[in-house]
Amino acid sequence: MSKNKEKLVVLIGPTAVGKTKLSIELAKKLNAEIVSGDSMQIYKEMDIGTAKITEEEMDGVRHHLIDIVDPTDSYSVADFQSDVRRIIKEIYARGKLPMIVGGTGLYIQSVIYDYQFTDNASNPVVRAELENRLESEGVDTLYEELKKIDSESASRIHPNNTRRVIRALEIYQTTGKKMSDYLESQEKELLYDVSLIGLTMDREILYDRINQRVDLMMDSGLLNEVEKLYHKGIRDVQSIQAIGYKELYQYFDGFIPLHKAIEELKQNSRRYAKRQLTWFRNKMDVQWFDVTNKSFNQTLDEILKYIAGKL
């Protein structure tokens, strides 16, 4: 690792691969504090469906960016970038090592690389026209337009987050580049001295673990957790687009039976794991550790040796 940049450990991998347990043991060995790199664990009242770590599982290791906003709040990748960079400085000030753990690729990427969320691609005239269209035509029309020109950005933006829908369209109309391409084209300079570690395993075994995790979530009270949010009237917001919530909302709305909602939850979770792996492999320089046929302690030792060689 470079001596000029702050050191940072990042542990990534698909859902259900085993990041949580391993991160705790790594944090203990490395005198680290953990920053959640998950775009949904920021929400209060959404514990089971986001596989949020419990106080007992933390085992004394300090965690950050968990339970920080209400389910009705919006929270962007720019918010995450700003918060995490501030927290990293605070962790360093306490003499600890910061470690980001999670599976939301763009969020983590925005922190470790010099991504600029600025007004460089802004045009007040274009924005005003889009705001007028929002008022006269409604957000659905603008969102459908965004899906056609930049499906990747649209998949990350809830249609009711009108500010971000307009921003993505403004970038495209101003520069001719999609928001996703605009970010991708920026210089990929690492801001930190990063040990970027990824966990992977045999795809079929991972999918089986995901199915089992969903069953465990249901046994642990996921239906009740989602029902409380549903009866509070929380809907059409960013948080409820999370896997595990949107499927069960369909059940509570009477569109599908419960068994169908659970099957969709499992299928969407498996698809998400596949997308996570594709993202990490294509867009980040990861040192992968296959945990398929290894004991927990073997994996832990291998990763600690790798980090020791970089710290």
Side-chain angles (χ1 to χ4, degrees), residues 242-296:
I243 296 170
Y245 297 85
K246 60 184 178 182
E247 296 86 359
L248 291 175
Y249 261 56
Q250 290 187 82
Y251 161 68
F252 287 120
D253 281 335
F255 294 139
I256 55 175
L258 182 57
H259 72 87
K260 178 66 174 171
I262 294 170
E263 280 308 309
E264 284 195 11
L265 201 172
K266 290 178 178 178
Q267 184 180 60
N268 288 338
S269 296
R270 295 192 300 268
R271 286 174 175 167
Y272 178 56
K274 185 177 180 182
R275 289 198 306 273
Q276 285 175 301
L277 285 165
T278 301
W279 175 283
F280 294 139
R281 287 185 172 132
N282 290 345
K283 302 194 177 185
M284 300 175 86
D285 185 16
V286 181
Q287 178 67 40
W288 289 100
F289 292 84
D290 192 318
V291 301
T292 305
N293 296 311
K294 292 176 187 167
S295 69
F296 178 82

Side-chain angles (χ1 to χ4, degrees), residues 62-194:
R62 187 167 179 177
H63 281 64
H64 303 270
L65 288 192
I66 294 175
D67 289 338
I68 62 167
V69 296
D70 293 323
T72 50
D73 293 336
S74 290
Y75 189 84
S76 70
V77 62
D79 294 327
F80 180 84
Q81 181 193 65
S82 174
D83 284 343
V84 174
R85 289 182 179 172
R86 170 182 52 80
I87 290 167
I88 286 173
K89 290 185 182 300
E90 293 170 356
I91 292 172
Y92 257 104
R94 287 191 286 273
K96 298 288 192 77
L97 178 70
M99 178 164 64
I100 301 176
V101 179
T104 307
L106 179 68
Y107 277 49
I108 295 171
Q109 201 176 23
S110 77
V111 171
I112 65 176
Y113 293 109
D114 191 20
Y115 273 12
Q116 301 291 327
F117 296 97
T118 69
D119 290 328
N120 289 346
S122 65
N123 185 321
V125 175
V126 170
R127 192 183 314 137
E129 289 174 354
L130 288 166
E131 286 168 350
N132 286 335
R133 285 187 58 200
L134 174 68
E135 195 169 335
S136 61
E137 301 173 40
V139 70
D140 288 347
T141 302
L142 295 184
Y143 187 72
E144 286 302 314
E145 194 172 302
L146 178 60
K147 282 203 294 188
K148 288 175 184 172
I149 65 171
D150 189 359
S151 59
E152 186 175 340
S153 292
S155 69
R156 295 196 303 266
I157 300 173
H158 190 275
N160 282 2
N161 194 337
T162 55
R163 180 177 62 86
R164 292 190 67 208
V165 171
I166 286 174
R167 178 67 181 133
L169 288 170
E170 179 190 0
I171 287 173
Y172 181 76
Q173 291 184 20
T174 302
T175 68
K177 293 170 69 174
K178 298 183 288 186
M179 178 190 268
S180 53
D181 290 343
Y182 181 72
L183 291 176
E184 190 64 27
S185 67
Q186 294 189 40
E187 289 299 315
K188 292 289 186 63
E189 181 192 350
L190 282 167
L191 292 184
Y192 303 94
D193 207 344
V194 182

